[in-house]
């Protein structure tokens, strides 16, 4: 049985990926520092998976966990646009230097491919639908570090691919921080009967993709012979939803409004052509039905 290493595997997306890998018969090792991830997300696997608590900022730990892995899914990261504006150095250390450590560790081991969880935030305010050949225009330290991490993948001595996730949602997404994703926050407020806050006019749009689709795409990216040189591939649905419409869909109370947040993009939705042509991947879960798949 081949061994898959999932960095950030105790987190929201990573833990769903672990579920899918275990279900398809892989041996799985997780590296996570539990800074935003939680062991509860993996508890149902018991000792069927290997868990290593540690940071990708420590090169020797990266070497140790990558040593006998066939595939590395590199998801460990800080994930908030807003937090990155406040703590740019931390984002450089984790998002960029941590990725370099994992790439070097993978290149020195038997790893067949490293799959980087990149982000559509690298596009900044490119006009949607955004295709992969749009130039980088990062609006935040988070986006800038993801862009540099991708370049490190393309220069690495190991096969790589760089899925650019649009806004991912699903079960296990944390709602307990101001840095949490908007769907998790709005759902929590709706359940508690508290009006949500919309930053800006609420007409900004995002392309929301369900975590089940993202996990399927990641596994296709790991195996596809059509990629391997750090190709960027959008993981989105192609559908733009405004934050106001999202609040209505979730049946939030009438929102309050605050000024738009620094570093955020205005509009975002994916061109899905490359994902289909290179990976045979297409998102299948529409937002309205995905919102029923959250518990
Ligand atoms: P998450 O915070 O739930 O997962 C990140 C995981 O990485 C957590 O378990 C955390 O504990 C771990 N981690 C953080 N720093 C670490 C370090 N130094 N060493 C080891 N582990 C560390 O967030 P998520 O939404 O599941 O994000 C997973 C990946 O997907 C990230 O790379 C993120 O940038 C990317 N991504 C997410 C979205 C989204 O909408 N959620 C969109 C685009 C890209
Ligand atoms: C999210 C991801 C980021 C990813 C990017 C890709 C998280 C925490 N961040 O960033 O990792 O790279 O997608 O597009 O998952 N909003 C409100 N009220 C709130 C919270 C948010 O109005 O209480 C608005 C924001 O101002 C923003 C939109 O909702 O316009 C989405 O915000 P958020 O969920 O934080 O995601 P992104 O910043 O797009």
């Amino acid at each position: 049985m081949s061994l898959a290493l999932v960095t950030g595997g105790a987190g929201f997306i990573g833990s769903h990926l672990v579920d899918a890998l275990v279900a398809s018969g892989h041996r799985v090792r997780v590296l996570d520092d539990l800074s935003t991830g939680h062991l509860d997300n993996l508890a149902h696997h018991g000792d069927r998976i290997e868990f290593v608590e540690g940071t990708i900022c420590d090169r020797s730990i990266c070497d140790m966990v990558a040593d006998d892995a066939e595939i590395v899914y590199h998801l460990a990261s800080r994930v908030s646009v807003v937090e990155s504006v406040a703590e740019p150095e931390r984002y450089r250390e984790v998002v960029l230097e941590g990725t370099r450590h994992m790439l070097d560790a993978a290149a020195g081991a038997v790893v067949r491919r490293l799959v980087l969880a990149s982000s559509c935030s690298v596009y900044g305010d490119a006009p949607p639908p955004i295709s992969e050949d749009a130039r980088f225009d990062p609006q935040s330290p988070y986006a800038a570090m993801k862009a540099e991490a991708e370049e490190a993948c393309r220069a690495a001595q190991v096969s790589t691919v760089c899925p650019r996730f649009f806004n991912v949602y699903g079960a296990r997404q944390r709602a307990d921080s101001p840095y949490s994703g908007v769907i998790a926050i709005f759902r929590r407020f709706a359940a508690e009967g508290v009006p949500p806050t919309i930053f800006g006019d609420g007409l900004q749009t995002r392309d929301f993709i369900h975590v089940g689709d993202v996990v399927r795409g990641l596994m296709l990216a790991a195996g596809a012979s059509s990629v391997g040189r750090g190709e960027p591939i959008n993981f989105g649905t192609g559908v733009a939803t405004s934050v106001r419409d999202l609040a209505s869909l979730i049946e939030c109370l009438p929102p309050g409004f605050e000024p738009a947040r620094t570093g955020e993009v205005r509009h975002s939705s994916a061109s899905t052509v490359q994902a289909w042509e290179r990976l045979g991947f297409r998102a299948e879960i529409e937002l309205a039905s995905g919102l029923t798949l959250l518990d």
Side-chain angles (χ1 to χ4, degrees):
M1 263 196 301
S2 66
L3 176 69
L5 169 65
V6 183
T7 73
F12 158 49
I13 302 170
S15 65
H16 286 280
L17 175 62
V18 171
D19 291 351
L21 289 166
V22 169
S24 62
H26 289 79
R27 283 194 300 133
V28 177
R29 178 180 296 147
V30 168
L31 173 66
D32 201 298
D33 71 353
L34 301 179
S35 51
T36 54
H38 207 285
L39 283 177
D40 286 351
N41 291 337
L42 299 172
H44 51 288
H45 294 297
D47 57 10
R48 285 191 302 278
I49 63 165
E50 188 186 340
F51 178 79
V52 178
E53 183 172 348
T55 174
I56 55 169
C57 301
D58 181 336
R59 170 67 199 274
S60 62
I61 291 181
C62 296
D63 286 342
M64 184 186 81
V65 295
D67 184 43
D68 50 348
E70 190 197 351
I71 299 288
V72 177
Y73 294 95
H74 180 46
L75 277 67
S77 181
R78 306 296 306 173
V79 303
S80 166
V81 169
V82 179
E83 184 188 51
S84 77
V85 174
E87 297 186 55
E89 278 315 310
R90 189 172 183 196
Y91 274 67
R92 173 169 293 279
E93 188 191 359
V94 177
V95 182
L96 177 57
E97 299 304 335
T99 298
R100 287 195 173 131
H101 288 161
M102 280 315 310
L103 286 166
D104 289 345
V110 294
V111 172
R112 192 167 54 73
R113 179 166 294 162
L114 182 144
V115 182
L116 173 73
S118 187
S119 163
C120 68
S121 61
V122 300
Y123 295 122
D125 279 317
I130 308 169
S131 78
E132 288 82 348
D133 50 20
R135 64 179 182 81
F136 285 150
D137 183 20
Q139 306 286 311
S140 66
Y142 167 77
M145 293 306 105
K146 284 288 185 188
E148 285 200 44
E150 281 196 17
E151 294 298 359
C153 284
R154 290 189 266 280
Q157 300 299 313
V158 60
S159 169
T160 57
V161 60
C162 302
R164 291 176 177 162
F165 306 167
F166 282 64
N167 287 56
V168 189
Y169 68 98
R172 302 182 196 149
Q173 191 166 27
R174 290 179 72 149
D176 57 354
S177 149
Y179 302 133
S180 297
V182 64
I183 287 184
I185 291 177
F186 280 9
R187 273 181 37 96
R188 176 179 156 203
F189 285 159
E192 292 173 352
V194 174
T197 300
I198 288 182
F199 298 110
D201 59 11
L203 299 178
Q204 69 269 41
T205 55
R206 293 293 184 272
D207 181 339
F208 294 102
I209 180 168
H210 190 266
V211 67
D213 279 326
V214 168
V215 164
R216 198 165 45 81
L218 284 170
M219 291 170 72
L220 288 168
S225 56
S226 54
V227 294
R229 296 166 185 262
E231 294 84 351
I233 304 199
N234 288 343
F235 280 13
T237 65
V239 177
T241 303
S242 74
V243 171
R244 279 190 194 219
D245 286 347
L246 179 71
S248 302
L249 263 174
I250 295 177
E251 298 179 358
C252 292
L253 291 174
F257 287 85
E258 287 189 13
R261 304 196 293 200
T262 308
E264 289 198 341
V265 303
R266 179 75 177 155
H267 293 296
S268 172
S269 74
S271 161
T272 59
V273 175
Q274 288 278 331
W276 180 248
E277 289 185 354
R278 287 190 182 267
L279 305 180
F281 169 64
R282 188 173 278 153
E284 290 172 352
I285 303 171
E286 288 178 9
L287 181 58
S289 58
L291 288 173
T292 67
L293 301 172
L294 294 180
D295 300 312

